[in-house]
Amino acid sequence: MLTRTFIAAALAAAGLAAVPSTAYAATAAYTPERVCGKGFHRVKDGHRAMKTKRGAVFGHVYLMYSKRSGKNCVAAIKTAFTGARTTTGAYLEVKGGGRSEDEQRYRYYAETGHIQGAWKCVRYAGWTRDPDNRVTAFGGRKSWGNCKG
């Protein structure tokens, strides 16, 4: 007990907190499962980092699927500039089916609508920009995949 008290006092004296930052906590509250809704799960080969041309990661894009409804969803979740309204978008296309895109100035994430896609190939993408709208981070899969339900 004395050791914990000593460590806590030392951290406080150094100006360090033993709790995550507000930006991290806000981003951590948004999971792709929460964004897309009940029953949606991450699919194999359905995750990409949203990277700038120089390799900086501004977030992650997830392809989600609901076995029960047969629908797909894409969530583009920011990890950089969270809380700031920056251009953020998500894209989903089902081969021979529907297409959904969402792009606005969001604080935490963008999400496509739910599109029927059981046993159909899909492709997806997500992107976000810095607050000055100069640098874009992109991630996704341009080729068709996840064709087996």
Side-chain angles (χ1 to χ4, degrees):
M1 183 69 169
L2 183 59
T3 304
R4 280 192 214 153
T5 304
F6 179 75
I7 292 171
L11 287 171
L16 300 173
V19 295
S21 71
T22 306
Y24 172 79
T27 301
Y30 297 104
T31 64
E33 292 83 3
R34 183 171 173 201
V35 170
C36 287
K38 187 176 180 180
F40 280 87
H41 302 280
R42 300 176 197 204
V43 300
K44 184 178 179 182
D45 194 34
H47 170 250
R48 299 287 191 280
M50 294 187 293
K51 294 181 180 181
T52 67
K53 288 182 181 179
R54 292 187 173 182
V57 176
F58 283 8
H60 298 269
V61 59
Y62 301 89
L63 173 64
M64 307 293 287
Y65 182 71
S66 169
K67 199 171 195 175
R68 186 173 190 190
S69 69
K71 293 184 177 182
N72 293 286
C73 172
V74 170
I77 302 174
K78 296 169 37 172
T79 57
F81 312 111
T82 57
R85 291 194 181 276
T86 64
T87 301
T88 305
Y91 169 84
L92 170 63
E93 185 176 4
V94 176
K95 191 171 189 177
R99 178 179 185 261
S100 180
E101 185 172 336
D102 176 31
E103 179 182 74
Q104 291 187 42
R105 294 181 62 81
Y106 288 115
R107 296 174 71 172
Y108 300 102
Y109 66 87
E111 178 230 350
T112 63
H114 299 174
I115 300 179
Q116 191 66 39
W119 301 101
K120 294 183 180 180
C121 302
V122 297
R123 57 185 168 192
Y124 67 98
W127 59 93
T128 190
R129 295 189 179 126
D130 70 324
D132 295 328
N133 221 22
R134 293 183 185 159
V135 179
T136 301
F138 177 88
R141 188 182 62 223
K142 295 177 183 179
S143 61
W144 296 107
N146 300 89
C147 304
K148 297 181 181 180

